[in-house]
Amino acid sequence: MTALLEVENLRVSFPTRTGVVEAVRGVSFTLGRERLGIVGESGSGKSQTGRAIMGLTPEHGQISARKLEFNGIDLLKSSQAERRALRGGRIAMVLQDPKYSLNPVMTIGRQIVETLRTHEKVSGREARKRALDMLEAVQIRNPERVFDLYPHEVSGGMGQRAMIAMMLVAGPELLIADEPTSALDVTVQLEVLGILDQLVVERGMGLIFISHDLRLVSSFCDRIIVMYAGRIVEELRAGELANAKHPYTQGLLDCMPRIGKDRHPLPVLDRKPEWAL
Amino acid sequence: ATPADTLVQAWAFDDTITLDPAESFELSPAEFIGNSYDMLVRLDIDDTTQVKPGAAESWEISDDGLTYTFKLAPGLKFASGNPLTAEDVAWSFERAVKLDKSPAFILTQFGLTGDNVAEKAKAVDETTFVFTVDKPYAPSFVLNCLTATVGAILDKKLVMEHAEARTPDADNKYDTDFGYAWMKTNYAGSGPFKIRDWRANEILVLERNDNYHGEKPALNRVIYRHVKESATQRLMLEAGDVDVARNLEPGDLEAVQSNPDLISTSAPKGTVYYISLNQKNENLAKPEVREAFKYLVDYDAIGATLLKGIGEIHQTYQVKGVLGSLDSNPYTFDVDKAKELLEKAGLKDGFSVTFDVRNTQPVTGIAESFQQTAGQAGVKIEIIPGDGKQTLTKYRARNHDLYIGQWGMDYWDPNTNADAFTSNPDNGDDAAVKSLAWRNAWDIPELTQQVQDALLERDNDKRAGMYQELQQEALETSPFVMIFQQIEVAGVRNNVKDYRLGPSFDSNPLAPVSKN
Amino acid sequence: MSTTDTSIKPRRTNRRALAFFKSAAGFVVIVLTTYLGLLAVTFFIGRVVPIDPVLAIVGDRAPAHVVERVRQEMGLNLPYYQQFILYVKGVLQGDFGTSVLTTNPVMTDIRRVFPATMELATVGTIIGAVFGIPLGVLAAVKRGSLTDQIVRVIGLVGYSVPIFWLGLLGLLVFYAKLGWTGGPGRMDVVFEYTFTPVTGFYLIDAVINRDWAAFRDIFSHIILPGALLGYFSLAYISRMTRSFMLNELSQEYIVAARAKGLSETRIIWGHALRNAAVPLVTVIALSYAGLLEGSVLTETVFAWPGLGLYITNSLQNADMNAVLGGTIIIGSVFIAINLLSDVLYRILDPRTRN
Amino acid sequence: MSNTIMTRREWLLTDRPQSRLQARLGRAYVTWRRFSANKLAVIGMFLIIALVLVALFAPALAPYSPYTGDLATKRLLPPGTEGHWLGTDDQGRDILSRLIYGSRLTLQVVGLVAIIAAPIGLLVGTVAGYAGGWVDAVLMRITDIFLAFPKLVLALAFVAALGPGIGNAIIAIAITSWPPYARIARAETLTVRNSDYISAVRLMGASPWRIVLRHIMPLCISSLIVRVTLDMAGIILTAAGLGFLGLGAQPPLPEWGAMIASGRRFILDQWWVAAMPGFAILIVSLGFNLLGDGLRDALDPRGSGQ
Amino acid sequence: MIPALEIDGLRVTFEDFVALNSVSLTVAPGESFGLVGESGSGKSTLLRAVAGLAPVSAGSIKVNGKLLDHRRSKEFYRQVQMVFQDPYGSLHPRQTVDRLLLEPLAIHGFDDTENRIVRALDEVGLGSGFRFRYSHQLSGGQRQRVAIARALILEPSILLLDEPTSALDASVQAEVLNLLEEVRAARNLTFIMVSHDLAVVTHMCDRLMVMQNGAEVELLSAADLVGGTVSQDYTRNLLVASEGFRRD
Ligand SMILES: Nc1ncnc2c1ncn2[C@@H]1O[C@H](COP(=O)(O)OP(=O)(O)OP(=O)(O)O)[C@@H](O)[C@H]1O
Ligand SMILES: Nc1ncnc2c1ncn2[C@@H]1O[C@H](COP(=O)(O)OP(=O)(O)OP(=O)(O)O)[C@@H](O)[C@H]1O
Ligand SMILES: [Mg+2]
Ligand SMILES: [Mg+2]
């Protein structure tokens, strides 16, 4: 299996008035056509890693890496236009909250069509058909209707599906999903994950799945990266969660209440300063 | 650029509120009416103490001085084509008297009432009109009054076609409105021009009347555009978008005068400006204070700057050019003299008064200058600026201390100003006659009587002498600090010929004007 | 899995109809109370203004008995509440009374002066929007750059300069010195007696009459005051556009649009501005209303026979019928513009279309 | 030396303040730093400070009396004339001296309007927004009426009724300028009234007045301050507009708007008479605008952060 | 024994949307009661109705045996306090922790405010170092502690907890949950706690109610849930979902 994405020593920092914030500090990993999970607590740099790969780091942020290659394309050297052509076409990203990441004044259909027509020269009718197919593929029952709805007219779960459809319509090879389900109900959450899973399997797509829920990630992904303060502290196969070595990973696992396990008080994470070094 | 057959004037004529000669009493409509209607007699602008024939070719005065017989020129026609007869004259007088609007007193002061007007202003035949007055007034007075716009001759037939029927009641005794509603905005005259169109505060268009009996106007049209700002007027004049600018202030006037494309013309007008001292204020009521104030105006500086070209210092209340006008300017700016007088009045340390001032130039400038110069004598003046109507309302209620006012003659005769400044028949708060003397609570029974007497003096020279005496008295003792007489100026493009301004607003003749 | 389709909001027509009636009724109540308030306030003002309204009709020199008679004719000797009731009655019958100053029915006057003001304000707003929006967008996109600062200063100067000052200066330069534009007034006198107004909007009338010479002349007259007002509305519009755009550009959906691979142009003009347009409508409407009422000074300088001047002049002469009529018209337009901007808001923002 | 400065800075910037005072100062300091990073805003602030200083020390700064001139000999001297660097006006008064004294009036106008209009707007808006229901309806109707009124007409009418003069002009402007503040305050109140932290205060049993006065108003104040400073220019110009129509300050007060109004007669030939006060207004309102813009960015955390 | 909270036939409507439809429940003093259900099922609305923050259109609420009327009295607020879901939204952005804690004391006229504030901060494990911070200077967990301190400072007997940890990281969640358990034990508080996380609810509560569409689905004890003895499919679905993703 060839590597779809290679990341070596990725760094993202933000100069602010109170000093430089290093959001990502030397992250390295490779990704094949598989499901990679990134977990970590809030502020640990998960989203910034994903965005750096996409080329969506906020303007004042600074990126450096020894290597950032997608399918042999050196992302660091490519021009804005080349990055743009990749974005949404070959690499796509699902954002966290459908409530905010869909344009509120455009119908869902138009937003999907827009992606498609940005990357492929297709007729309006063709684009519409492909968008409808895509909506169906993400398990929307009544695509014709949803096509003409505005984002506020659909529920969170459906909005998230629309978002996924929008990002997948151009057939990307890599999908970065940044907490795609944390705004959703448990039951809906599983439906959405099911869709993503199916797409990976059917299309042979690479997936980076970002979440702070260790248990969810371990049940869904093939491989897990655990981040802490901008660094990778541990990399695991999903099945080996129980054998996690790093105390941070262990602590994360341990501190969650579990049905059937009566622990009072819950064990808490005792952060060690040396983890962040 | 303006069309060759049209004279375009920029003028602030927002005081035009009606075109009906029986009601109109403001300055700008006087010019419109003066150019579009005939009166029996007109003011001679070359000798302003005389009248000249208008619609009447000639007139005779009976020996008892009560009957005036006017002979109309034959074959006169209104612009409508209707013949102009003595009947129209009589009816116009009757209409004005019966409508009894503001200017009607110019006629009714001769004893005319709604009941007797038909008898006293009567057509004897097609061309003979007889006017009977109740006292043997000075003939100059009667004739001067008949030059006023209220004496304009209306086309009876045309007006009555537009009259509305009325049911007589307590307020209104007549069964018609005499075309009152229609006349506000319409025209029924026989003058050199006809009024074609009037849009308030926007435009007024005069058009040549081909039925006019006299010399026909050279131009087809005269258009007035309402432009308020002097600077704007000047720009339009310089650009050639208007031919005449009528409200130029000194600075702009100077620029016009130095521009080779433009000329300026001016004429002293029958309007005087004065500061008056309300005698209800006990400080101002002191004779020494009244005199002192006359020394506190810096006449020379004001004349050389604020009034340059638009007014001349004039310390008597009759305007230059009118019968009996006294040309005497004895006062100069003299702080020491004023201080001396104030000390005599027991006001060595000065005092404070308020000063109601309209927000227009040049009065504001004069008021400010006076504030400074009076301050030098210890008189602290607080200026209360206000819109014209606002200060006037206060003035008419005698609620002011100091007021700076302007007085225009009602008709071209010395009686009008004598009556205003030196007559006050009843100084009570609810007096029937509220002259300027009354407004300043100046109680002057003797002067009032003298004004009455002058009215009946049939010898013109004697009459003139009486008015000069009155002026001399006022100059010394009145609470009026007379400052200047207005000069009306116009900036004119130099291709305009024979543009002239007359002494009164109804005598700015447009008929001779031509362009090349 | 069955939650999918039920989560779409049910649209119940009867509920919507009811809501419509409710909001329509609410609107009527708002309009009525606003009107009544406007009437009452203006009426009150008319009574406290220390100007004798009779003075405007009869002048300073009328004999006392004429003054008294006119006062009675005008009903000014009645108690205030009766005068108010009389007035409201008249207004309800569509009769705003007669203007003392122009002797016309107030409605006739307003029909004449209002289009003049409206035409000017419209041109001003169009200029303001056409230039203000792109400038605002530019400033927001290049936030903090020199461009941004320049745009801001242009706007700030617009906020800070007295209008009559700029007006006279403009006349001096463009009309008197350069001769590029027409002078004061709505058109040259040449056209005064050939041109027949139809709607009162002269530009439109010229088109209707197919009088192209007049059109050119009218345009050359309106462009200077229009540009002047346009500058002031530009100041406001560009400033608000910048602020709305900054807000939109920081939204997540912009990130999402970038993630789709859209070009910056498309993101800025197609996505961000489309969203910013929603509140901008209100801003433009407000600025339009502001120009309608706030152009007294421009009208003075440019001898523009408009509503602002009409009202001010009437007020100074205590011509209360005219003031009341003018105020009610401006109030109505204000309400209408508010309504219109609400409707537009609804059209532009699907979230409010329920 | 630099050491103590550093520590003072640290003391201010600490995220563990030890007293109420330190917390408040720290917060002010952060705002100040954000504000002072904006150069234009700092320029604006200095302009306003300069205005205040000029107003304070007017008698010392002005070379002549602002009230008395020399009509006969010194009228309308151009700028650059020896002793009258900005020229003289139509009464022969020194324009520079008048401008210097006029700054007092300008400050007075601006300050009083802010003191009168902003609190009225704040109170009406927050009460309407928080109370809702008929209170809201009534208050907003009143606000609408004032908004729907032609502003200059309303001000003109009030001035006409109260009599001209700077004091009445101020009142008139204040009366016409509160409704937008009420609108803003109401809109802001509506967004916070249902927030959890206001619910939390209600859950403590606080009375509605307490909630409005102590919890909601402080939130609305910052955007109001911003809006008011931005409006300052407009207020000066409205005052100038009233002055232009002759309803502002009484002569010979050197109010800038009134100065322009009387100077406009000379605008074509003696441009400086109107231009000098025009520049003064321009500079001061630029100052207020820049300050307002800076304040908005500094006080509105959303605007700067990312 | 008088129940701490007794709700009978409670109905809440927003305009014409029924958010709560005839819900009844009883909570004993000292009990910890849980509410679970999908988003929009009316959990928060129920708590808010008790607190007087939602419009009750029918039904009755009794607190410690006393029927509540439409306007809540000051005493009520001394008995019932609430902790909100979003720690970022429930603290006034312009007030220091000190001011936040002082406010309830000032409203109820407590003296000895100094000591009470210090004690309250200690109790939630923050110490006085946090006293003069603004909320934006606190992390989510710290904010939630402040919110708890604020609720406790009036010494209520009933605490309404609306998803107090759902916005927090797992590790911080554990700390807050522990803190809540501690204070409950120390003060013998009654908890009504909302969560969409079944594990959290079973961890904290003795009994719980499952809700859907503003109505009760079933009422069961934590033990039943652990043992899987549930009668409704809906509850069963929830239970399955809480175990994470399963590929089938
Ligand atoms: N625009 C920015 N300017 C400065 N610092 C930033 C910016 N964006 C992110 N950061 C910082 O970068 C760090 C990592 O942020 P990131 O969004 O990647 O965290 P995360 O792991 O996705 O957390 P969460 O689970 O809360 O989404 C954080 O400390 C954050 O404060
Ligand atoms: N103020 C309100 N106005 C109108 N509808 C409301 C209001 N508050 C809540 N609702 C509606 O009531 C229903 C129940 O809301 P509630 O907040 O109680 O749900 P929840 O069970 O707490 O959901 P979540 O888990 O998302 O917090 C929702 O459909 C919501 O839209
Ligand atoms: Mg993130
Ligand atoms: Mg909830």
Side-chain angles (χ1 to χ4, degrees), chain E residues 44 85 162-163:
Chain E
S44 301
Q85 169 171 11
D162 188 0
E163 313 206 30

Side-chain angles (χ1 to χ4, degrees), chain C residues 11 17 25 57 93 116 119 126 154 158 162 210 229 242 261 296 310 348:
Chain C
R11 297 173 182 235
I57 306 183
Q93 289 157 9
E119 188 171 29
I126 290 174
I154 290 176
R210 311 214 172 280
L229 290 183
R242 175 181 182 269
V296 184
Y310 179 71
L348 287 175

Side-chain angles (χ1 to χ4, degrees), chain D residues 15 20 27 204 210 215, chain E residues 92 94 98 103 108 133:
Chain D
D15 53 4
R20 281 170 205 176
R27 191 182 161 79
M204 293 164 196
R210 190 181 176 96
H215 298 269
Chain E
H92 197 285
R94 294 283 158 88
D98 179 60
E103 192 65 12
H108 290 271
R133 291 199 192 184

